[in-house]
Amino acid sequence: MTQAPATPKALRRRHDREIIALAVPAFAALVAEPLFLMADSAIVGHLGTSQLAGLAIAAALLMTAVSVFVFLAYATTAAVSRRVGAGDLPAAIRQGMDGIWLAIILGAALVAVTLPATPWLVDVFGASDTATPYAVTYLRISSLGIPAMLIVFAATGVLRGLQDTRTPLYVAVGGFTANALLNVGLVYGAGLGVAGSAWGTVIAQYAMAVAYLVVVVRGARKHHASLRPDAAGIRASAQAGVPLLVRTLSLRAVMLIATAVAARMGDAEVAAHQIVLSLWGLMAFALDAIAIAGQAIIGRHLGAGDTTGARQVCRRMVQWGIASGVVFGLLLVALRPLLIPVFTGDSAVHDTLLPALLVVALTQPVAGVVFVLDGVLMGAGDGPYLAWAMLLTLAVFTPVALLVPALGGGLTALWWCMGLMMALRMATLWHRTRSGRWIVTGATR
């Protein structure tokens, strides 16, 4: 007796359960990551202003260098989930190991560049004479943890591709706890100061990398997948990651240009911009968690040859993105009276901040669609299109943003430009998903 097809309502519920099961742990893991820096800042901040300034400079340089390699997580998720959908778990884990080996190679290369260049990098950043020694110390030591950080990226992608977002959550929480305890012990107990904070973070990062590797190696042994480096597989992982690297660099360029434009407006404007950017980033974590769920689910459907399921999930996730954006926008408007005093007591910053936050609130539904469709196309392995679309967005945003101060515009006008940037991204991503060209089935794209 054949089973009756699921009703639209039942399908929506099934998709919702799957999205929630993947997105909620992913969100918690994403929020746990910035807590590393917050813990370091809280502990080092009690040593003195110069120490905290040095940490801030070193951390900014380190995170800028490392964040561009987040493609290791995105590309690995897409590739692994396709093979999971195709029912080939050994190949899925093998693909994941190729991503991890690529992370090790890139991490070693980045350390080799960063260590000798540390004094120059700190100097270029414009550190003061009092902050420079602490920045150099922290950056030199913490750069040793770069391979571990990149392994964590790649291994997180493996587990997401295997539809497991709980393990990354557990590892992130454990890593944050270990980092905080180590920092307190090494900074104050051992009296190592800023160096102790750096060493504590490096140790915690390698502990996280080892935890991930244990999980992946167990899976490889269970499914008889090879752990040895494969040159062709590593090369394929790198080729899949290049377009996502271009996308990420273009997106970071947008953020840097926006900050540079705000800095030209004055101290109150750049201070307000930093607050807006922080709140925007917090909401982005939640939207990115839905995108991560999309990467894993879409890749699995396409790997299984289920184009109908992929379209249904895409449609439902867009609805999730819009609804989440509306909720976040309303919350931001409602909580403004409480949020602003937390960040600043300066009336000039307050007055500049207020209308800019309204722009962010209004554009959150657009951001919701952008994040979701970004995740869908990443899950489909459509990296080249994402790269070209982001380059186009950067090309349009740059002259418009640079014109803001020239035309006498303030921070609100700049954030309207950011809204334009998101609208353009939505248009390009929406066009692609409507075309259906992203739907390529099979274990590989």
Side-chain angles (χ1 to χ4, degrees):
M1 186 176 180
T2 58
Q3 187 176 4
T7 64
K9 188 174 182 180
L11 280 173
R12 285 197 300 271
R13 286 178 177 173
R14 189 174 71 194
H15 293 324
D16 289 347
R17 284 195 298 269
E18 193 170 24
I19 292 167
I20 291 170
L22 290 171
V24 171
F27 171 67
L30 287 170
V31 171
E33 290 173 8
L35 294 179
F36 268 84
L37 182 56
M38 288 179 64
D40 286 3
S41 299
I43 293 166
V44 171
H46 290 286
L47 295 175
T49 302
S50 296
Q51 288 89 333
L52 184 58
L55 168 66
I57 292 165
L61 287 166
L62 186 66
M63 294 315 298
T64 298
V66 170
S67 63
V68 299
F69 294 101
V70 73
F71 72 84
L72 289 165
Y74 296 154
T76 305
T77 297
V80 171
S81 60
R82 272 186 175 270
R83 286 163 175 78
V84 169
D88 192 348
L89 283 176
I93 296 172
R94 173 66 262 176
Q95 179 70 41
M97 283 306 305
D98 291 335
I100 290 173
W101 280 113
L102 176 61
I104 293 171
I105 293 169
L106 291 174
L110 203 53
V111 171
V113 171
T114 304
L115 277 177
T118 291
W120 176 79
L121 289 170
V122 171
D123 183 60
V124 167
F125 210 84
S128 67
D129 292 340
T130 54
T132 292
Y134 300 112
V136 170
T137 296
Y138 190 92
L139 185 57
R140 271 189 173 148
I141 296 171
S142 59
S143 66
L144 297 174
I146 290 174
M149 296 168 74
L150 299 193
I151 289 171
V152 167
F153 280 162
T156 300
V158 175
L159 295 179
R160 288 173 182 169
L162 294 171
Q163 318 296 295
D164 175 11
T165 55
R166 290 184 178 272
T167 300
L169 169 59
Y170 300 147
V171 175
V173 171
F176 166 72
T177 304
N179 179 60
L181 293 174
L182 284 165
N183 277 8
V184 171
L186 294 173
V187 172
Y188 296 114
L192 296 179
V194 169
S197 176
W199 280 118
T201 301
V202 168
I203 293 168
Q205 287 164 345
Y206 274 100
M208 291 173 66
V210 169
Y212 274 119
L213 290 175
V214 167
V215 173
V216 174
V217 168
R218 281 179 181 171
R221 288 177 176 171
K222 179 180 177 181
H223 296 286
H224 308 289
S226 174
L227 297 172
R228 295 178 180 177
D230 176 67
I234 294 171
R235 188 164 54 249
S237 294
Q239 289 171 347
V242 167
L244 295 180
L245 174 62
V246 172
R247 167 206 167 271
T248 302
L249 288 172
S250 301
L251 184 56
R252 287 201 67 84
V254 166
M255 300 304 170
L256 289 172
I257 289 168
T259 300
V261 170
R264 291 170 61 187
M265 296 177 181
D267 290 347
E269 285 77 6
V270 75
H273 175 74
Q274 183 58 38
I275 294 170
V276 177
L277 203 58
S278 298
L279 292 170
W280 189 82
L282 181 62
M283 291 182 288
F285 278 128
L287 297 173
D288 202 27
I290 303 173
I292 287 168
Q295 293 171 31
I297 298 170
I298 291 293
R300 194 191 70 227
H301 277 291
L302 293 178
D306 183 7
T307 59
T308 300
R311 288 183 182 276
Q312 289 172 343
V313 170
C314 177
R315 191 178 305 114
R316 188 57 178 164
M317 294 194 73
V318 168
Q319 294 169 355
W320 268 78
I322 295 171
S324 299
V326 170
V327 170
F328 294 151
L330 291 174
L331 282 173
L332 187 59
V333 172
L335 295 176
R336 275 183 311 146
L338 299 175
L339 288 172
I340 294 176
V342 170
F343 288 98
T344 181
D346 188 320
S347 60
V349 177
H350 180 284
D351 294 341
T352 304
L353 185 59
L354 200 61
L357 281 180
L358 283 175
V359 175
V360 173
L362 287 170
T363 55
Q364 277 307 291
V366 175
V369 176
V370 168
F371 275 84
V372 166
L373 293 183
D374 214 33
V376 166
L377 296 184
M378 283 184 191
D382 203 9
Y385 181 83
L386 289 172
W388 283 111
M390 197 61 231
L391 284 171
L392 172 63
T393 301
L394 175 62
V396 173
F397 172 80
T398 301
V400 174
L402 293 177
L403 278 174
V404 169
L407 297 176
L411 188 67
T412 302
L414 176 61
W415 273 93
W416 276 119
C417 290
M418 292 288 284
L420 171 66
M421 179 270 294
M422 295 301 287
L424 182 55
R425 289 187 70 193
M426 185 178 72
T428 56
L429 297 173
W430 186 269
H431 170 74
R432 187 64 167 182
T433 52
R434 291 281 293 177
S435 73
R437 294 177 184 175
W438 58 281
I439 299 178
V440 178
T441 58
T444 58
R445 183 177 172 88

